[in-house]
Amino acid sequence: MVPSVLMTDIVVGVDGSEESLAALSWAAGQARLLHARVVAVHAWEPVGRRLAPYASVAACPTAAEQREQAARVLRDSLLKTLGERVDIVVQPVLAEGAPARVLLERARDAVLIAVGRSAHGRGELSAAGPVVRECLRYARVPVIAVPVEP
């Protein structure tokens, strides 16, 4: 049986930065207009066994600690930006891996990807961070680079 309402996704990269919170806020507004779901993705690359050859093993967080920290960043970002009572559907996603690759994979069937960027650079691609640049280059859906309001 086909559902009576088709859900569309807006994928947004969330890393806790001011830029990503601006993108999340923008995506939430668009989700209200489009009756879409926000897929809030926090991806991280695991820290190796040691940060440096001379660093102690204790200085390196475990995989569980890294995942817990990632979950905290995503949860705090959602709460700070959207508040306690959310009037849209939000799917939080934690994923270990390169952030741009994870966003591109999650956005295969999405209507768009929203990523944050600093207000500097007046829109030049070179002023965008590496995740934004990779999404702009390789996405098969529209990518919105949301600037932070000055």
Side-chain angles (χ1 to χ4, degrees), residues 69-116:
Q69 175 61 26
R72 189 172 23 259
V73 167
L74 183 55
R75 182 182 61 247
D76 292 350
S77 296
L78 290 171
L79 190 58
K80 181 176 182 178
T81 305
L82 305 177
E84 298 258 348
R85 299 187 64 180
V86 181
D87 62 345
I88 57 172
V89 178
V90 178
Q91 178 186 355
V93 174
L94 286 174
E96 187 176 308
R101 182 182 51 76
V102 170
L103 285 170
L104 292 167
E105 286 174 6
R106 289 287 175 168
R108 280 193 189 133
D109 297 321
V111 292
L112 61 90
I113 300 172
V115 289

Side-chain angles (χ1 to χ4, degrees), residues 17-27 81 116-117 146-149:
S17 67
E18 188 178 349
E19 292 84 2
S20 75
L21 298 183
L24 178 59
S25 180
W26 183 89
T81 305
R117 70 167 180 82
V146 180
V148 173
E149 294 295 321

Side-chain angles (χ1 to χ4, degrees), residues 2-144:
V2 176
S4 60
V5 177
L6 294 176
M7 183 65 69
T8 56
D9 290 343
I10 297 173
V11 174
V12 58
V14 179
D15 65 5
S17 67
E18 188 178 349
E19 292 84 2
S20 75
L21 298 183
L24 178 59
S25 180
W26 183 89
Q30 291 303 303
R32 286 181 193 93
L33 294 173
L34 300 173
H35 304 287
R37 171 176 62 181
V38 170
V39 179
V41 179
H42 178 72
W44 76 97
E45 294 186 89
V47 176
R49 284 297 303 155
R50 292 185 183 211
L51 302 174
Y54 49 83
S56 72
V57 174
C60 185
T62 66
E65 290 169 335
Q66 290 176 55
R67 184 168 185 76
E68 184 178 313
Q69 175 61 26
R72 189 172 23 259
V73 167
L74 183 55
R75 182 182 61 247
D76 292 350
S77 296
L78 290 171
L79 190 58
K80 181 176 182 178
T81 305
L82 305 177
E84 298 258 348
R85 299 187 64 180
V86 181
D87 62 345
I88 57 172
V89 178
V90 178
Q91 178 186 355
V93 174
L94 286 174
E96 187 176 308
R101 182 182 51 76
V102 170
L103 285 170
L104 292 167
E105 286 174 6
R106 289 287 175 168
R108 280 193 189 133
D109 297 321
V111 292
L112 61 90
I113 300 172
V115 289
R117 70 167 180 82
S118 67
H120 308 297
R122 298 184 182 156
E124 294 106 15
L125 186 57
S126 62
V131 173
V132 175
R133 287 194 307 266
E134 196 166 335
C135 286
L136 287 168
R137 283 189 186 117
Y138 299 111
R140 295 178 186 243
V141 298
V143 177
I144 308 299

